[in-house]
Amino acid sequence: MPRLPRFEFDGEYIRRLVDEDPEIETHFTKYFGDLLSLKLRSKLRSPALVEDAKQETFVRVLTTLKKKGGLATPESLGAFVNSVANNVVFELYRSGSRVQALAEDHDEPDTREEGAETGLMVAEERHRVREALADLPQKEKDLLRWVFFEGRDKDEVCRELNVDRNYLRVLLHRAKNRFRDRYYSEEAH
Amino acid sequence: MTHTEAVANLASERYLLDEMTEAERDAFEAHYFDCVTCAEDVRVGALMQEGAKAGFTPALPTARVATFTPAARRTAAPPPEVVRQAWYRSAALPWAVAATLAVVVGYQSQSSVPGPEADGGVRAVPTLVLRPASRGTAPTVSLSAPHAALALDVDASGASDLAYDLKEQEGALITSGRGSAPPAGAPFLVVIPTFTLKPQQRYILSVRDASDSQRVLGDYHFTTAP
């Protein structure tokens, strides 16, 4: 996930998107693709469904923009994409044939092992992510491992660290900032 | 949700930790789709999370700690103790800095050992890195703390248990014992009650494969401070 070039979501951006400018199309699909993956993965359990929903959202957004020739308020493009995605998810929920409730005793596949992908991290980025994480202080690595890899109960983690839940978020915030610095530093090299 | 609210409430972290209600989640998603700063924050956080889920944040190798009492006082062989070195109370220290820092280990005091350390519990123990005799001069152990931890740089490949002898340079045996071999890359830690050591003495800690007494893995020399 390289740092994306910054674009203003303004009339010019919308115009270039409608005109199928390759640079803007690439930015649009990458930027909102990542955000949609994050949003949809908590709502749809299957990666295939997440991908379907993303593509459906893109199609609807672009179709609407081309049909209308833009947005009345171009700076609300993000809100528009989000609302379209909500509609897509809602329709998927209503489609019993596509989204079936999982049985209570359903054993979710363990996705923690190396190689499990959830959408953001592609092969060439894994090395940089690994390097950036390796540079974190051991205490932060331990925290991330406990919470995200081992899936330990967060209250239990808090008890072990003798902190409250709010301070756990602060620790995560610090780890994230450090990770960001190292990750983009790796990118620069 | 405004940007100020999102920052103040650590919304990005709560989102990653899956601590939001459905309504909060919807509100935050509506915000970060509209806010490039929060969007970037969430993306970076998710990438870090995925890296952690992929196992990119391994635990440190577990060190083996052997504790002992002097030969003259020992009533039974002390069992080796495995210490899981949690970050907030211990550190399996990088070799380069280990000698300058204190490692805190869970130390099970022997009831036969007198002194203030006999109440057990967690203690800060000055740690000294020792390398085989041929690879450096003898470092100095301070006797100011109740215990000294010696982190031995030992290649224990092929050995499941290690045996050690602590002797004065003149040959008098102070103690001997054994402990589980550490995994590759981890030190073999020996915690010594400093009252067993004399000031300004030179000592040799010999380590060998417990199953093959002829296989000496290293002689570690150290001196004691005045």
Side-chain angles (χ1 to χ4, degrees):
Chain A
M1 188 177 69
R3 191 193 291 267
L4 288 174
R6 279 219 164 183
F7 285 97
E8 293 293 325
F9 296 133
D10 54 13
E12 177 66 8
Y13 185 97
I14 302 286
R15 186 191 64 73
R16 291 173 67 185
L17 186 61
V18 170
D19 289 347
E20 301 179 2
D21 181 320
E23 183 185 21
I24 296 299
E25 280 187 329
T26 300
H27 177 272
F28 175 79
T29 52
K30 177 63 179 160
Y31 180 85
F32 286 110
D34 287 346
L35 298 189
L36 286 168
S37 291
L38 292 171
K39 173 188 175 75
L40 297 171
R41 68 184 185 180
S42 67
K43 303 181 189 310
L44 304 169
R45 290 198 172 183
S46 156
L49 276 179
V50 169
E51 193 57 32
D52 283 352
K54 271 170 60 178
Q55 297 306 322
E56 181 64 22
T57 300
F58 285 147
V59 168
R60 291 189 190 187
V61 168
L62 293 174
T63 301
T64 302
L65 291 179
K66 287 180 179 177
K67 194 178 292 182
K68 292 184 176 179
L71 277 179
T73 51
E75 62 275 11
S76 66
L77 177 63
F80 179 58
V81 172
N82 186 50
S83 67
V84 171
N86 285 339
N87 287 336
V88 170
V89 170
F90 182 66
E91 289 172 22
L92 283 173
Y93 280 157
R94 294 183 61 183
S95 170
S97 61
R98 299 188 69 187
V99 182
Q100 295 183 345
L102 296 170
E104 281 191 10
D105 60 351
H106 174 77
D107 187 14
E108 188 73 9
D110 185 353
T111 59
R112 297 174 304 174
E113 70 273 15
E114 189 170 344
E117 295 284 355
T118 55
L120 282 187
M121 195 161 53
V122 293
E124 65 266 28
E125 293 165 344
R126 297 176 71 80
H127 175 72
R128 281 173 40 216
V129 171
R130 185 194 294 269
E131 292 295 308
L133 287 170
D135 271 355
L136 296 183
Q138 187 62 38
K139 62 182 182 180
E140 292 179 349
K141 283 190 253 186
D142 287 343
L143 173 63
L144 296 176
R145 186 179 66 260
W146 291 345
V147 173
F148 295 128
F149 183 73
E150 296 179 3
R152 287 170 63 174
D153 178 75
K154 289 186 269 295
D155 287 330
E156 176 193 325
V157 171
C158 286
R159 278 194 298 275
E160 188 152 357
L161 300 179
N162 197 25
V163 299
D164 60 20
R165 288 293 285 264
N166 198 45
Y167 199 72
L168 185 71
R169 295 171 201 134
V170 172
L171 294 176
L172 184 66
H173 177 77
R174 289 176 183 165
K176 184 184 63 187
N177 287 343
R178 220 183 302 268
F179 171 81
R180 176 191 287 110
D181 291 344
R182 281 150 173 78
Y183 180 78
Y184 288 129
S185 164
E186 286 285 323
E187 185 181 70
H189 290 139
Chain B
M1 182 181 294
T2 66
H3 180 69
T4 304
E5 289 170 339
V7 171
N9 296 327
L10 293 173
S12 175
E13 284 69 29
R14 294 179 60 223
Y15 190 72
L16 281 181
L17 290 167
D18 199 19
E19 292 181 332
M20 288 180 158
T21 64
E22 195 64 31
E24 287 175 320
R25 177 174 280 272
D26 288 345
F28 183 55
E29 286 170 351
H31 171 70
Y32 77 63
F33 267 80
D34 222 17
C35 172
V36 291
T37 304
C38 285
E40 198 269 346
D41 201 44
V42 170
R43 291 166 77 235
V44 166
L47 202 58
M48 177 183 74
Q49 180 187 40
E50 288 189 18
K53 283 184 175 178
F56 293 169
T57 53
L60 285 169
T62 303
R64 303 289 180 180
V65 176
T67 60
F68 63 84
T69 54
R73 298 178 183 227
R74 188 170 52 215
T75 55
E81 182 179 359
V82 177
V83 176
R84 184 177 181 279
Q85 300 195 345
W87 61 269
Y88 54 92
R89 64 171 182 247
S90 72
L93 299 167
W95 287 106
V97 298
T100 61
L101 299 177
V103 62
V104 181
V105 297
Y107 175 69
Q108 181 63 52
S109 298
Q110 305 300 308
S111 58
S112 59
V113 178
E117 70 279 11
D119 58 351
V122 176
R123 305 216 167 265
V125 182
T127 303
L128 193 66
V129 178
L130 298 183
R131 301 185 188 287
S134 60
R135 293 169 57 187
T137 58
T140 301
V141 171
S142 168
L143 303 182
S144 58
H147 298 87
L150 305 179
L152 309 183
D153 179 13
V154 61
D155 178 7
S157 52
S160 58
D161 290 289
L162 304 183
Y164 58 84
D165 294 320
L166 176 64
K167 298 177 180 176
E168 293 180 356
Q169 188 171 32
E170 292 73 22
L173 178 67
I174 305 300
T175 190
S176 59
R178 58 190 293 165
S180 299
F188 184 61
L189 297 181
V190 179
V191 179
I192 303 174
T194 52
F195 74 87
T196 63
L197 304 173
K198 299 172 186 172
Q200 290 185 292
Q201 283 281 330
R202 190 177 179 95
Y203 293 89
I204 303 169
L205 189 56
S206 296
V207 179
R208 62 184 186 281
D209 185 340
S211 61
D212 180 2
S213 61
Q214 301 303 308
R215 187 186 170 208
V216 177
L217 301 175
D219 287 333
Y220 301 83
H221 294 236
F222 64 92
T223 60
T224 48

